[in-house]
Amino acid sequence: MFTAILLDKNDDGTTAARLTGIDDAQLPLDGDVTVRIDYSTVNYKDALAITGKAPVVRSWPMVPGIDGAGEVIASSHPDWKAGDAFILNGWGVGETHWGCLSQRARLQGSWLIPRPPGMSARTAMAIGTAGYTAMLCAMALQEQGVDRSSGDILVTGASGGVGSIAIAILAGWGYRVVASTGKLAEADYLKSLGAAEVIDRAALSAPGKPLQKERWAGVVDAVGSHTLANAAAQTRYGGTVTACGLAQGMDFPASVAPFILRGVRLIGIDSVMAPLPKRVAAWERLANELDPGKLATITREVGLAQAITLAPELLAGTLHGRLVVDTHA
């Protein structure tokens, strides 16, 4: 027996989340690697699943948790053996396949990547999908030729997991980062991560003109909707906008003007189905280039039961940084 968060659908269609014991025999059969989950995390998508605020879960009952780190217990996959340290992000885990807010999981070996040498399971989950996505955004800016001399980089949703780690990464690389947040009281926190300037999200969140004063050489946007549209409208000629989130909304009320008149590039960042080489490259850079001291200031450790109670707060935007879940606490 092991402990996990289990989601069920009530008769009225709402979601019931509970901490419960599960037998190994109940683990999904469509997996070739059985793992011990030492640490997981609560991402925005996990909070949506736990609260039922969006139809994230596609199969019931469901163990949520799109991220996990620990060790392999048993494997019939050729690339994995008992004792191997791994990281899991995405692949529909916690949506269509039982996830990692649990002490054990059965997964496809092709979904796992080796944990970089020297990186603990806890550190991996302090980074999690949020930090891995932030690194994919930062790498995309570099790939598009946005360097330190290009100009300011805007990071929206700056107090969240993606935003916080994006600031730490980009500032660590020497970029001048401007953080957009609805929590101006946390300006000192954002500056401690490396933000050179903090602006109120209200400056970006309302409908705006198709083309605005050029300001940003690059953008990391985790918000979507009007914020993404305004960020694109303010991006300099030849600049790059990376889009990875929808905290404000899935809509994109913009025009083609920034793209055809200023040559702005809009790059979509997907972390869920990203191919293995890109994942490995991102995690290797996270292991080597993310300041562990800054990561520590972002991180709060909780247990499985607290993951349930804190999910609504994460959705409400009253938390900052990352929630790391010790599955054995």
Side-chain angles (χ1 to χ4, degrees):
M1 294 287 290
F2 59 91
T3 303
I5 296 174
L6 191 67
L7 307 180
D8 281 299
K9 184 176 284 189
N10 295 320
D11 292 340
D12 62 0
T14 58
T15 297
R18 60 192 173 96
L19 199 62
T20 188
I22 295 177
D23 190 273
D24 281 12
Q26 295 174 262
L27 286 169
L29 298 177
D30 57 336
D32 50 15
V33 180
T34 302
V35 300
R36 185 187 74 234
I37 305 294
D38 294 323
Y39 286 90
S40 184
T41 180
V42 184
N43 294 290
Y44 192 82
K45 186 180 287 185
D46 298 318
L48 289 173
I50 290 168
T51 60
K53 295 295 185 183
V56 169
V57 176
R58 309 293 183 181
S59 175
W60 302 89
M62 177 59 61
V63 174
I66 67 174
D67 287 346
E71 289 189 359
V72 172
I73 297 172
S75 171
S76 60
H77 190 282
D79 294 342
W80 296 94
K81 64 182 186 302
D84 285 347
F86 75 91
I87 298 172
L88 179 283
N89 306 109
W91 296 113
V93 171
E95 302 174 68
T96 59
H97 185 99
W98 278 20
C100 298
L101 282 167
S102 171
Q103 294 173 341
R104 287 198 181 192
R106 184 169 291 134
L107 305 164
Q108 295 285 349
S110 59
W111 296 343
L112 311 180
I113 68 165
R115 201 159 72 234
M119 178 182 283
S120 69
R122 186 188 186 282
T123 296
M125 291 297 95
I127 296 168
T129 283
Y132 152 59
T133 302
M135 178 57 81
L136 291 177
C137 290
M139 289 167 62
L141 291 178
Q142 287 190 330
E143 290 163 4
Q144 293 298 318
V146 180
D147 60 28
R148 289 174 292 183
S149 65
S150 299
D152 289 358
I153 307 297
L154 172 68
V155 174
T156 68
S159 298
V162 173
S164 294
I165 297 182
I167 292 168
I169 291 169
L170 291 163
W173 290 352
Y175 289 82
R176 187 179 189 276
V177 181
V178 177
S180 168
T181 181
K183 307 172 186 175
L184 292 179
E186 295 188 357
D188 289 343
Y189 159 74
L190 296 172
K191 289 180 178 179
S192 74
L193 297 179
E197 183 180 347
V198 178
I199 63 174
D200 193 329
R201 70 180 177 197
L204 295 164
S205 59
K209 295 179 180 180
L211 279 179
Q212 301 171 33
K213 182 179 179 180
E214 296 179 62
R215 182 163 187 189
W216 319 115
V219 177
V220 174
D221 177 66
V223 177
S225 192
H226 291 291
T227 297
L228 176 57
N230 286 319
Q234 295 174 12
T235 297
R236 295 181 181 182
Y237 189 94
T240 298
V241 178
T242 59
C244 65
L246 44 68
Q248 186 179 5
M250 289 185 67
D251 58 322
F252 183 41
S255 84
V256 298
F259 311 112
I260 64 174
L261 298 179
R262 291 182 179 164
V264 171
R265 294 176 292 270
L266 177 60
I267 308 294
I269 302 298
D270 168 56
S271 61
V272 177
M273 306 299 288
L276 184 63
K278 184 174 285 189
R279 291 171 181 265
V280 171
W283 277 100
E284 286 178 350
R285 293 193 68 172
L286 285 162
N288 295 320
E289 299 173 27
L290 179 60
D291 183 340
K294 289 183 178 179
L295 184 62
T297 68
I298 295 169
T299 304
R300 173 182 176 186
E301 185 174 314
V302 300
L304 283 168
Q306 290 171 287
I308 298 174
T309 59
L310 289 171
E313 294 183 39
L314 191 153
L315 293 183
T318 57
L319 303 176
H320 72 235
R322 304 281 297 127
L323 289 177
V324 177
V325 180
D326 181 348
T327 64
H328 298 276

